[in-house]
């Protein structure tokens, strides 16, 4: 199947990044959200990020203008129904994702491919709620989408080969690299990354080190570009906790038990950069550790 039009559900950090790369690659994009304010902010973010690429010489000014011209927005979910490919990029809650797919189904073309940008939830289970499990896949982009090169492709048990082949080719047109992952909790990247972050939170919780010492140790001792707690704030502590819960529930292994301190931060609404406070406080000129 040839993909020309792409519908994206969710205009947040991941959704606007996905819209950015698809529009830049020449696809017609329809971006949906329940909030008009979120759509306005998403377009401003895409404009700003494209301009940054122009200033760095990675994108021509004409290409930026053309990409922005390919992005339309809508508050009405059914408007996405005629898209060749739909990418759900809403919050990491299975009930929300199921509600989105339920609402989309009556409006889809028979050939439309459905995908989820979920970072941990079962693709087989999400697909089973639709009328096209053979045309359903996990399409997991990394954050920030315009920068990160990897896309995880996750087949559910019913996903057919033409759907997989189509999305594999789409990833190539975006200038990114596809990695195939089996449909097990958190797939590849987050199966490894999020437990590492959770262990860093345990290290903080148990008093082994401070926020600053833990992050500096991993940056200088393991050559990580970001410390694990800094990275957790960037991802969103609510997302980290949700993925740990999926791992803990799905694999029934105590090594995936979320750290109580991570739970406490989320309960406090300290979700990281997006809320202004997490393991660091971002409300001043420079981030300050909160512990």
């Amino acid at each position: 199947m040839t993909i020309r039009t792409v519908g994206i559900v969710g205009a947040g950090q991941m959704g606007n990044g996905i819209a950015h790369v698809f529009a830049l690659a020449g696809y017609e994009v329809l971006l949906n959200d329940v909030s008009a304010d979120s759509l306005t902010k998403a377009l401003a973010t895409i404009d700003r990020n494209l301009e940054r690429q122009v200033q760095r010489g990675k994108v021509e000014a004409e290409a930026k203008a053309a990409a922005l011209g390919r992005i339309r927005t809508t508050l009405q979910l059914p408007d996405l129904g005629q898209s060749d490919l739909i990418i759900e990029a809403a919050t990491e809650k299975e009930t929300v994702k199921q509600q989105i797919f339920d609402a989309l189904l009556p409006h889809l073309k028979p050939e439309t491919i459905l995908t989820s940008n979920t970072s941990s939830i079962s693709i087989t289970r999400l697909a089973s709620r639709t009328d096209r499990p053979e045309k359903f896949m996990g399409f997991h982009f990394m954050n920030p989408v315009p920068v990160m090169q990897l896309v995880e492709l996750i087949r559910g048990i019913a996903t057919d080969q033409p759907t997989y082949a189509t999305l594999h080719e789409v990833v190539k047109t975006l200038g990114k690299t596809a990695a195939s992952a089996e449909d097990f909790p958190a797939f590849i990247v987050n199966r490894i990354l999020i437990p590492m972050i959770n262990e860093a939170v345990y290290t903080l919780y148990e008093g082994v080190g401070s926020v600053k010492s833990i992050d500096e140790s991993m940056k200088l001792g393991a050559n990580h570009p970001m410390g694990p707690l800094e990275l957790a704030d960037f991802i969103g502590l609510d997302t980290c906790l949700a993925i740990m819960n999926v791992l803990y529930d799905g694999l029934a292994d105590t090594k995936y038990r979320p750290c109580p301190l991570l739970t406490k931060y989320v309960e406090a609404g300290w979700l990281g950069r997006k809320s202004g406070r997490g393991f660091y406080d971002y409300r001043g000129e420079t981030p300050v550790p909160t512990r």
Side-chain angles (χ1 to χ4, degrees):
M1 181 180 176
T2 300
I3 304 296
R4 296 186 178 88
T5 57
V6 180
I8 300 169
V9 184
Q13 191 174 38
M14 295 305 296
N16 73 60
I18 294 168
H20 173 143
V21 298
F22 270 93
L24 195 58
Y27 295 90
E28 295 295 326
V29 175
L30 184 56
L31 182 60
N32 163 264
D33 200 277
V34 295
S35 163
D37 185 50
S38 293
L39 290 172
T40 300
K41 289 180 179 178
L43 290 176
T45 298
I46 294 168
D47 190 352
R48 184 169 61 251
N49 289 340
L50 282 168
E51 182 58 30
R52 186 178 294 118
Q53 289 179 311
V54 171
Q55 294 301 320
R56 292 176 178 173
K58 295 183 177 181
V59 172
E60 297 293 330
E62 295 79 6
K64 173 193 169 183
L68 289 173
R70 295 187 192 103
I71 301 174
R72 296 180 296 119
T73 62
T74 180
L75 293 169
Q76 306 302 318
L77 193 59
D79 290 347
L80 274 60
Q82 296 304 299
S83 302
D84 298 327
L85 167 65
I86 291 178
I87 304 168
E88 172 275 313
T91 186
E92 192 69 358
K93 294 181 180 179
E94 186 167 347
T95 54
V96 173
K97 295 179 185 298
Q98 288 174 341
Q99 289 167 3
I100 289 169
F101 291 123
D102 288 346
L104 278 170
L105 289 180
H107 309 283
L108 299 180
K109 300 187 297 183
E111 64 271 24
T112 296
I113 294 175
L114 284 177
T115 68
S116 175
N117 185 58
T118 178
S119 52
S120 60
I121 297 169
S122 167
I123 298 304
T124 297
R125 195 162 61 241
L126 288 174
S128 70
R129 289 282 299 267
T130 75
D131 63 354
R132 60 196 67 206
E134 73 284 354
K135 292 183 178 298
F136 194 108
M137 274 191 65
F139 206 24
H140 182 214
F141 289 80
M142 306 295 131
N143 185 33
V145 181
V147 175
M148 302 298 282
Q149 292 300 302
L150 183 71
V151 181
E152 284 183 319
L153 296 181
I154 306 101
R155 282 179 277 201
I157 196 170
T159 306
D160 63 24
Q161 182 59 27
T163 298
Y164 174 82
T166 296
L167 292 188
H168 198 278
E169 287 303 311
V170 167
V171 172
K172 289 182 181 178
T173 68
L174 300 177
K176 297 187 181 296
T177 300
S180 297
E182 292 299 321
D183 186 20
F184 289 101
F187 318 128
I188 296 173
V189 173
N190 285 326
R191 174 74 177 266
I192 299 168
L193 176 65
I194 301 301
M196 183 201 75
I197 289 174
N198 192 56
E199 192 62 28
V201 182
Y202 265 115
T203 304
L204 177 65
Y205 176 62
E206 294 169 1
V208 180
S210 66
V211 168
K212 183 178 179 181
S213 62
I214 291 167
D215 278 350
E216 285 191 345
S217 293
M218 294 306 293
K219 285 191 285 187
L220 301 179
N223 206 28
H224 289 194
M226 296 174 70
L229 301 177
E230 181 186 7
L231 180 57
D233 277 357
F234 183 75
I235 294 169
L237 303 192
D238 53 339
T239 300
C240 292
L241 180 59
I243 295 170
M244 284 307 302
N245 280 324
V246 167
L247 283 166
Y248 190 43
D249 294 342
L251 299 173
D253 191 324
T254 55
K255 73 179 180 180
Y256 297 115
R257 183 171 68 93
C259 179
L261 184 60
L262 177 60
T263 301
K264 184 178 291 186
Y265 268 69
V266 173
E267 289 174 345
W270 293 18
L271 308 181
R273 286 181 178 269
K274 61 186 175 184
S275 67
R277 196 158 39 171
F279 292 112
Y280 292 85
D281 190 329
Y282 300 93
R283 296 173 297 174
E285 291 185 7
T286 57
V288 178
T290 53
R291 288 178 78 92

